[in-house]
Amino acid sequence: MNLTIDIGNTCTKLVAFDGDEPVGEMRMDDGELHKFDGFCAGYPFERGICSSVVDVPEGLRRRLEAAPFPVMRLVSGVTPVPVNNRYATPLTLGTDRLAAVVGAHFKSGGRDALVIDVGTCITFDFITAAGDYLGGNISPGPTMRLKALGAFAGALPVVDRKGDTPPMGYSTETAIRSGVMRGVTYEIESYIRDFILKCPGLFVYLTGGVQLDLHIPEKKCIFADNFIVPYGLNRILLYNEEIAFNEKNSYL
């Protein structure tokens, strides 16, 4: 069994894989590192892989080093991956974005795929049917936009993204929330429509911690998948295990 560890800006996600199938998951914050020990004790892990968009917390780093199974660190532009990374600056590419397109490529059955991750930031990443990752875009996520309004417009409050979002705000609070959340929705819908026009047969994978109500006629090609990053991490881990196995046996 494999363990994938996805360390994001707000929390860490652990997923247990039996082959290609996720069989368990858990989220934890920095102050909940004890959960890592309990999760690992529940599965006979043979290996693991860690992706992090921030510095790995010291407590978690010590736990990974002491784990009774090897844990590899995914490093963009260094770790071998089963797709062609055409990003001009591969060393600066977020490992979560890289893992997401790897996951999308295999889940789509080798079709053109667009991954949209709505979290602290909104990322749009595209990979071709041939497995060429061409890059993507990054924009502020909903919470970041709400906080920015409060920070840069002194007369405006910081509001929560959850709540009433009428077509037109009837108060300052609803005007801000509707402006941000509907703006995010329209932005994502526009990306999807544009890519579908350019790439017939496109698969779109939506992931992240923010749920949106999209109005796209081609909904049959859009999939909500919060395991797309862990799935990609697992594929990368399996790919590196295969490389190591082939290298070892080439000398026998």
Side-chain angles (χ1 to χ4, degrees):
M1 293 192 68
N2 295 338
L3 170 66
T4 66
I5 306 161
D6 178 21
I7 304 174
N9 288 297
T10 58
C11 71
T12 296
K13 183 175 182 178
L14 309 176
V15 178
F17 279 86
D18 187 356
D20 271 335
E21 294 300 318
V23 294
E25 67 169 316
M26 186 193 70
R27 294 177 182 270
M28 64 181 187
D29 297 324
D30 288 348
E32 300 175 318
L33 293 180
H34 62 280
K35 290 184 177 180
F36 178 84
D37 303 324
F39 189 78
C40 289
Y43 300 94
F45 291 123
E46 300 173 78
R47 64 192 70 85
I49 183 171
C50 177
S51 161
S52 180
V53 299
V54 297
D55 291 336
V56 178
E58 179 63 22
L60 180 56
R61 185 186 62 78
R62 289 197 300 268
R63 281 172 164 81
L64 295 178
E65 292 175 348
F69 51 89
V71 179
M72 68 176 290
R73 177 80 181 268
L74 174 59
V75 181
S76 291
V78 176
T79 305
V81 294
V83 298
N84 305 311
N85 189 352
R86 307 299 188 193
Y87 207 61
T89 56
L91 294 175
T92 69
L93 176 64
T95 52
D96 55 340
R97 295 173 61 196
L98 179 59
V101 293
V102 170
H105 180 62
F106 284 91
K107 282 205 165 188
S108 67
R111 298 172 68 169
D112 291 334
L114 175 66
V115 181
I116 304 174
D117 190 341
V118 187
T120 302
C121 294
I122 305 173
T123 56
F124 304 84
D125 289 290
F126 177 73
I127 187 166
T128 69
D132 293 318
Y133 170 59
L134 303 181
N137 293 339
I138 304 173
S139 70
T143 300
M144 189 181 296
R145 299 183 194 203
L146 290 166
K147 289 183 177 179
L149 283 173
F152 292 102
L156 297 180
V158 176
V159 304
D160 192 274
R161 63 180 172 83
K162 295 180 180 180
D164 191 16
T165 53
M168 298 297 290
Y170 52 79
S171 65
T172 299
E173 179 179 333
T174 55
I176 293 172
R177 183 183 301 113
S178 291
V180 168
M181 298 308 297
R182 288 179 178 272
V184 166
T185 299
Y186 298 154
E187 176 182 334
I188 292 173
E189 289 175 349
S190 178
Y191 266 96
I192 294 174
R193 291 191 183 98
D194 186 50
F195 270 87
I196 288 176
L197 285 175
K198 296 176 181 177
C199 306
L202 177 80
F203 274 18
V204 180
Y205 294 92
L206 297 174
T207 190
V210 180
Q211 302 299 315
L212 300 170
D213 183 21
L214 300 180
H215 299 281
I216 300 289
E218 301 87 349
K219 280 199 172 181
K220 63 181 180 180
C221 73
I222 302 175
F223 307 94
D225 193 336
N226 283 329
F227 285 95
I228 199 74
V229 172
Y231 184 81
L233 289 173
N234 187 58
R235 292 299 312 179
I236 294 170
L237 181 57
L238 294 173
Y239 180 69
N240 280 269
E241 284 293 311
E242 181 181 345
I243 291 175
F245 176 82
N246 290 335
E247 288 179 347
K248 176 182 177 182
N249 284 275
S250 67
Y251 294 100
L252 297 181

